[in-house]
């Protein structure tokens, strides 16, 4: 990331740092090369990581920051090679059980001492998502809420309001189906979208703690409580609530159905909002509500997937990598990189400001005040990789052939006994 | 005895050993371990194989491989038929021939995309045609009983073109005197084709058979583009399942993936053995 303009800027950075002597002292030692390998390959995230790397480079005159950006999907399979052969100093990944294989293989550095020393002020709420085997293995840098994004104008046209209970949700859906639309758009071709539905239905039916116990393999898939979740799901399937032929579409291919009004709502992450806006929907036409309660009095659990930075065990410039983690998680940087003109998501630092955006504000409020059950990562991040893959395939099959449920659950139960042993 | 031929062989042998032969034996070895590709491997003997026996996804993949191998061979008679049809002298025949050959030039990925649009449940051309004739719409790639056949049909399109071109060159080599002699003896139509033309096309048929079998076993890209193995795993073949188990986003079972690879290798070995045997036979005969 060395550039021609580096020298004057570095000088400027040095002078500003002189103002805070303690600050400058703590960082003067950083030298050598910091190699960052990032999966922030989409346009907006790419701009963010590039500017972060450039800024960090300027802050530390003796340090050269090298940045490699990899396609986000490709990184999911490339990370294992990157970590084992000449690992970089900082990498991107995901929180919770998705860290499992790399933690177990000793490829992520244990940074519990940094967490204990209070290096990450304001991150207390997200520490759990970074914890495996009672140790911390990285830091988060952004997260986003899941929930039901819906066509406000169609709801108004049909005289519907945001439901808070399952009965209201089902009654709303009946009105929508009767008007010739599907209630929920969904594309299950790549399976994981069905995982979102299961997460919410299970957390609302049986609670967050039960859902996590299932993820840890402590509950049988054939348990009656799990069956109750599927029974609730089936209620919607039998009504014709879901978009037909959803097994053919990716989540992006299911978006046009919301845009052209053939489906009125979409259970998805906040990353769908920019696409809906680009497709021409105004903020008057789309709105957001929290997945309604099913079992009365059950504390609400929410999915809020968190993206992370880690230091590989084989990192060469550990001090610089540690400083980079402190840098990206600081309140000021968090506010900036999660802003509407950057990632457009939620900052993980409690002292940061949430962007002035209808959906981010609602999501932040929901996660801060009405997610008392707990915050989950997502089906494929909370369940071990193999269970997640088999599980999501079963969920898709259930959505297409609900009558196969017994067979699906027996199969998943067999796999559970093998995978968690 | 001179060393020169050996020296010339050396680079080829070296690359073949490093990239083909040694990895085959490594696969055999890894298939006996439980290994996530990252940490320590544990020796489990034949456990991966015994798990394969009871694995329904493996069974489905194996059957899909069989379907691919059998149905893909349809490309041979279809290619022969088109070649015979195009083997005439009319104005612009070169243009027609190249049009028929066109699909083979396309990348498999493009073929897959075109066909998945063709099959789309609502906007697809197939359903537009079916709707025109008053038939109900079908979702070929979304239906677990139809999806594999839908992908094979897509694969047959370029493969037929390939077989056609092989037969077209073969037809050029058919001896006109034999045709003449057969005609004098009163052979025509079916009999002429079966007893006179096809025997002379034997070399072309052999090559068409080889490339079609190889094509059927290389169905990975079409499946990945068109259904990604779905719906719920019904269109996987062994190579796709191996990739999913060992190398994909959620795949951390190198040992299990290797066991699948070994089974796939054994299936291929049957064909490779047959090809080698028939080539050896041919050489021996021509040597006389």
């Amino acid at each position: 990331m060395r550039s021609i303009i580096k020298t004057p800027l570095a000088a400027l950075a040095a002078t500003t740092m002189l103002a805070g002597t303690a600050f400058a002292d703590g960082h003067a030692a950083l030298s050598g090369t910091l190699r960052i390998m990032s999966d922030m390959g989409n346009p907006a995230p790419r701009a963010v990581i590039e500017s972060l790397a450039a800024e960090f480079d300027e802050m530390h005159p003796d340090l050269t920051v090298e940045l490699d950006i990899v396609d986000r999907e490709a990184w999911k399979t490339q990370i294992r090679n990157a970590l084992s052969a000449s690992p970089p100093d900082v990498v991107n990944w995901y929180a919770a059980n998705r860290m499992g294989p790399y933690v177990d293989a000793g490829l992520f550095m244990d940074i519990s001492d940094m967490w204990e020393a209070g290096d990450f002020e304001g991150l207390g709420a997200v520490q759990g998502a970074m914890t495996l085997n009672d140790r911390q293995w990285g830091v988060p840098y952004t997260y986003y809420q899941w929930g039901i994004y819906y066509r406000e104008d169609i709801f108004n046209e049909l005289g519907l309001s945001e439901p808070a209970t399952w009965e209201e949700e089902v009654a709303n859906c009946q009105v929508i189906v009767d008007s010739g639309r599907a209630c929920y758009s969904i594309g299950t071709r790549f399976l994981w979208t069905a995982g979102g539905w299961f997460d919410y239905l299970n957390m609302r039916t049986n609670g967050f703690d039960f859902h996590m116990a299932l993820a840890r393999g402590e509950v049988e898939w054939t348990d009656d409580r799990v069956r109750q979740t599927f029974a609730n799901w089936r209620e919607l399937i039998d009504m014709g609530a879901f978009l037909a032929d959803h097994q053919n579409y990716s989540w992006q291919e299911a978006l046009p159905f919301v845009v052209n009004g053939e489906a009125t709502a979409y259970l998805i992450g906040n990353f769908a909002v920019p696409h809906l806006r680009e497709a021409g929907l105004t903020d008057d036409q789309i709105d957001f509500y929290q997945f309604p309660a099913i079992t009365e009095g059950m504390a609400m659990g929410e999915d809020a997937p968190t993206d992370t930075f880690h230091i590989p065990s084989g990192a060469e410039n550990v001090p610089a990598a540690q400083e980079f983690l402190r840098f990206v998680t600081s309140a000021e940087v968090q506010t900036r990189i999660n802003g509407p003109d950057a990632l457009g998501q939620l900052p993980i630092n409690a002292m940061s400001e949430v962007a002035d955006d209808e959906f981010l504000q609602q999501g932040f409020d929901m996660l801060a005040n009405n997610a008392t059950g707990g915050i989950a990562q997502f089906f494929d991040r909370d369940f071990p990789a193999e269970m997640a893959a088999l599980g999501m395939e079963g969920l898709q099959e259930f959505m297409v052939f609900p009558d196969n449920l017994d067979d699906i659950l027996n199969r998943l139960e067999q796999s559970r006994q093998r995978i968690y042993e | 005895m001179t060393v020169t031929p050996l020296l010339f062989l050396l680079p080829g042998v070296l690359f073949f050993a490093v990239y083909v032969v040694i990895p085959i034996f490594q696969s055999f070895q890894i298939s006996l371990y439980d290994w996530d590709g990252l940490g320590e491997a544990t020796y489990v003997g034949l456990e991966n194989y015994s798990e394969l026996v009871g694995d329904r996804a493996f069974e489905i993949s194996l059957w899909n491989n069989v379907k691919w191998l059998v149905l893909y061979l349809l490309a041979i008679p279809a290619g022969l038929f088109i070649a015979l049809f195009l083997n005439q002298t009319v104005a612009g025949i070169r243009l027609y021939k190249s049009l028929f050959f066109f699909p083979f030039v396309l990348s498999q990925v493009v073929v897959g995309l075109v066909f998945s649009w063709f099959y789309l449940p609502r906007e697809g051309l197939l359903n537009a045609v079916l709707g025109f004739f008053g038939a109900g719409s079908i979702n070929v790639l979304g239906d677990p009983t139809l999806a594999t056949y839908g992908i094979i049909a897509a694969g047959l399109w370029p493969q037929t073109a390939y077989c056609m071109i092989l037969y077209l060159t073969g037809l050029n080599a058919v001896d006109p005197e034999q045709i003449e002699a057969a005609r004098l003896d009163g052979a025509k139509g079916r009999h002429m084709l079966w007893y006179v033309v096809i025997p002379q096309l034997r070399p072309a048929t052999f090559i068409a058979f080889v490339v079609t079998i190889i094509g059927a076993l290389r169905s990975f890209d079409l499946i990945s583009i068109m259904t990604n193995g779905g719906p719920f795993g019904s269109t996987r073949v062994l190579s796709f399942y191996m990739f999913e188990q060992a190398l994909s986003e959620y795949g951390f079972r190198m040992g299990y993936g290797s066991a699948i690879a070994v089974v796939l290798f054994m299936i291929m070995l049957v064909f490779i053995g047959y090809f080698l045997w028939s080539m050896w036979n041919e050489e021996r005969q021509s040597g006389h």
Side-chain angles (χ1 to χ4, degrees):
Chain A
M1 292 304 298
R2 268 193 192 280
S3 62
I4 305 164
I5 54 160
K6 181 180 153 50
T7 325
L9 277 174
L12 182 74
T15 31
T16 38
M17 271 193 288
L18 284 178
T21 323
F23 189 63
D25 280 349
H27 306 281
L30 293 186
S31 62
T33 309
L34 175 69
R35 290 168 58 221
I36 303 174
M37 202 173 248
S38 169
D39 72 342
M40 298 163 77
N42 294 325
R46 175 183 280 266
V48 166
I49 187 70
E50 279 175 349
S51 72
L52 281 181
E55 196 181 336
F56 196 69
D57 189 297
E58 281 152 21
M59 282 165 62
H60 303 282
D62 295 334
L63 184 75
T64 314
V65 179
E66 269 177 24
L67 176 65
D68 273 322
I69 300 176
V70 184
D71 172 72
R72 197 170 164 90
E73 287 305 312
W75 180 242
K76 289 174 180 171
T77 52
Q78 280 174 14
I79 182 171
R80 50 189 102 170
N81 297 340
L83 289 181
S84 33
S86 80
D89 301 307
V90 174
V91 294
N92 277 126
W93 195 236
Y94 307 99
N97 237 323
R98 267 318 262 286
M99 304 187 292
Y102 310 101
V103 168
D104 292 341
L107 293 171
F108 280 165
M109 189 175 281
D110 178 357
I111 57 162
S112 308
D113 49 339
M114 293 177 74
W115 282 89
E116 271 161 38
D119 284 2
F120 307 119
E121 210 187 335
L123 266 60
V126 287
Q127 187 171 353
M130 303 311 303
T131 306
L132 275 185
N133 312 334
D134 294 324
R135 318 288 297 167
Q136 285 80 44
W137 305 93
V139 293
Y141 68 90
T142 187
Y143 75 119
Y144 49 88
Q145 81 270 18
W146 269 64
I148 299 185
Y149 293 82
Y150 70 100
R151 284 287 299 271
E152 203 174 353
D153 50 345
I154 299 178
F155 265 50
N156 290 338
E157 181 194 318
L158 298 173
L160 304 175
S161 55
E162 292 184 6
T165 66
W166 185 241
E167 289 71 34
E168 288 169 24
E169 180 77 30
V170 173
N172 273 1
C173 183
Q174 192 58 56
V175 177
I176 295 167
V177 170
D178 291 342
S179 76
R181 300 176 175 97
C183 306
Y184 313 107
S185 188
I186 183 169
T188 59
R189 186 169 129 100
F190 294 101
L191 306 178
W192 54 269
T193 44
W197 270 95
F198 179 78
D199 279 350
Y200 274 100
L201 286 161
N202 200 32
M203 283 192 286
R204 294 293 182 268
T205 308
N206 300 310
F208 175 83
D209 295 332
F210 177 86
H211 185 64
M212 285 300 140
L214 185 66
R216 287 189 303 268
E218 292 161 10
V219 184
E220 291 178 11
W221 277 92
T222 45
D223 190 288
D224 279 340
R225 289 167 292 182
V226 179
R227 286 181 188 278
Q228 185 54 47
T229 299
F230 281 99
N232 291 336
W233 199 346
R234 173 136 200 190
E235 195 179 345
L236 293 179
I237 294 171
D238 287 346
M239 285 167 68
F242 294 98
L243 185 71
D245 299 320
H246 54 77
Q247 69 269 37
N248 290 58
Y249 307 121
S250 66
W251 75 267
Q252 293 99 328
E253 286 165 339
L255 282 169
F257 298 101
V258 178
V259 176
N260 65 25
E262 284 178 64
T264 46
Y266 202 161
L267 176 68
I268 197 80
N270 196 63
F271 51 79
V273 171
H275 295 273
L276 293 173
R277 283 178 178 152
E278 270 164 36
L281 293 179
T282 63
D283 283 8
D284 295 334
Q285 287 174 294
I286 33 178
D287 204 350
F288 169 86
Y289 66 85
Q290 185 173 19
F291 199 96
I294 295 180
T295 302
E296 223 171 298
M298 187 74 78
M300 302 280 223
E302 287 295 326
D303 268 343
T306 307
D307 294 351
T308 55
F309 278 110
H310 304 267
I311 307 177
S313 314
E316 278 166 14
N317 199 344
V318 178
Q322 288 179 328
E323 183 55 32
F324 185 76
L325 298 194
R326 286 185 206 107
F327 169 67
V328 286
T329 52
S330 65
E332 186 266 328
V333 171
Q334 275 298 309
T335 305
R336 197 146 40 93
I337 67 173
N338 285 295
D341 50 352
L343 294 176
Q345 300 190 42
L346 295 170
I348 43 84
N349 193 314
M351 293 175 297
S352 303
E353 278 166 41
V354 179
D356 183 20
D357 171 278
E358 182 187 345
F359 298 98
L360 291 180
Q361 289 288 348
Q362 285 191 64
F364 182 74
D365 179 57
M366 171 181 87
L367 292 173
N369 302 319
N370 203 13
T372 45
I375 302 225
Q377 288 300 316
F378 195 72
F379 192 85
D380 67 350
R381 302 187 189 187
D382 291 320
F383 287 70
E386 206 187 341
M387 193 69 237
L390 290 166
M392 294 188 301
E393 201 170 287
L395 297 177
Q396 188 201 33
E397 182 174 350
F398 171 74
M399 288 190 75
V400 181
F401 296 116
D403 288 339
N404 294 2
L405 181 63
D406 281 326
D407 186 39
I408 296 167
L409 291 182
N410 287 333
R411 218 161 51 207
L412 292 183
E413 174 55 22
Q414 272 180 11
S415 309
R416 181 190 72 88
Q417 290 174 8
R418 179 177 55 77
I419 292 166
Y420 295 93
E421 73 182 7
Chain B
M1 185 67 191
T2 160
V3 288
T4 323
L6 290 177
L7 277 178
F8 275 117
L9 273 175
L10 191 66
V13 170
L14 204 66
F15 275 87
F16 195 66
V18 169
Y19 290 108
V20 180
V21 180
I22 296 174
I24 289 174
F25 287 101
Q26 277 179 326
S27 295
F28 277 95
Q29 194 204 354
I30 294 173
S31 74
L32 303 177
Y33 286 83
D34 179 18
W35 185 39
D36 64 0
L38 298 166
E40 287 295 303
T42 354
Y43 182 78
V44 292
L46 293 174
E47 217 168 86
N48 285 325
Y49 293 94
S50 63
E51 195 188 324
L52 276 181
V53 176
D55 182 350
R56 199 155 61 172
F58 172 74
E59 198 184 316
I60 292 172
S61 315
L62 190 62
W63 274 113
N64 281 339
N65 258 106
V66 173
K67 286 181 197 167
W68 270 92
L69 284 171
V70 172
L71 292 176
Y72 224 48
L73 291 177
L74 288 176
I76 297 175
L80 175 64
F81 177 78
I82 297 173
L84 289 169
F85 177 68
L86 289 178
N87 192 38
Q88 44 188 316
T89 38
V90 286
I93 191 69
R94 275 164 197 276
L95 178 69
Y96 306 139
K97 281 181 185 173
S98 30
L99 285 178
F100 272 93
F101 187 60
F102 192 57
F104 186 67
V105 182
L106 297 177
S107 132
Q108 293 277 72
V109 175
V110 177
V111 172
L113 268 182
V114 168
F115 265 81
S116 50
W117 292 334
F118 174 70
Y119 290 139
L120 270 183
R122 288 147 44 105
E123 304 89 341
L125 195 59
L126 177 68
N127 281 313
V129 173
L130 285 177
F132 182 76
F133 290 108
S137 89
I138 51 167
N139 181 0
V140 177
L141 296 180
D143 182 338
T145 54
L146 291 178
T148 291
Y149 299 109
I151 304 174
I152 295 174
L156 279 175
W157 188 45
Q159 192 64 31
T160 302
Y162 195 5
C163 292
M164 178 204 77
I165 210 83
L166 291 172
Y167 277 121
L168 273 177
T169 40
L171 283 170
N172 281 337
V174 167
D175 186 355
E177 280 177 28
Q178 283 192 24
I179 303 282
E180 193 63 24
R183 196 164 280 152
L184 286 176
D185 287 343
K188 54 186 168 195
R190 219 152 32 90
H191 290 280
M192 173 77 98
L193 179 66
W194 189 252
Y195 292 108
V196 182
V197 178
I198 290 186
Q200 293 196 61
L201 289 174
R202 234 193 84 119
T205 309
F206 179 70
I207 298 294
F209 186 66
V210 173
V211 296
T212 305
I213 292 293
I214 293 172
L217 289 167
R218 291 199 334 188
S219 43
F220 185 94
D221 15 10
L222 276 179
I223 294 169
S224 170
I225 287 292
M226 292 178 71
T227 60
N228 200 35
F232 25 94
S234 60
T235 57
R236 283 192 196 109
V237 291
L238 289 180
S239 55
F240 196 86
Y241 191 42
M242 168 188 79
F243 171 80
E244 274 195 351
Q245 288 293 319
L247 303 165
S248 74
E249 190 179 342
Y250 305 108
F252 288 95
R253 304 188 70 196
M254 290 292 170
Y256 199 58
S258 298
I260 301 167
V262 168
V263 173
L264 187 59
F265 177 72
M266 293 300 174
I267 296 172
M268 287 181 167
L269 208 56
V270 174
F271 290 101
I272 295 168
Y274 167 75
F275 295 149
L276 287 178
W277 176 76
S278 73
M279 277 198 282
W280 178 72
N281 245 3
E282 212 134 285
E283 260 170 44
R284 208 181 42 165
Q285 275 167 4
S286 61
H288 274 285

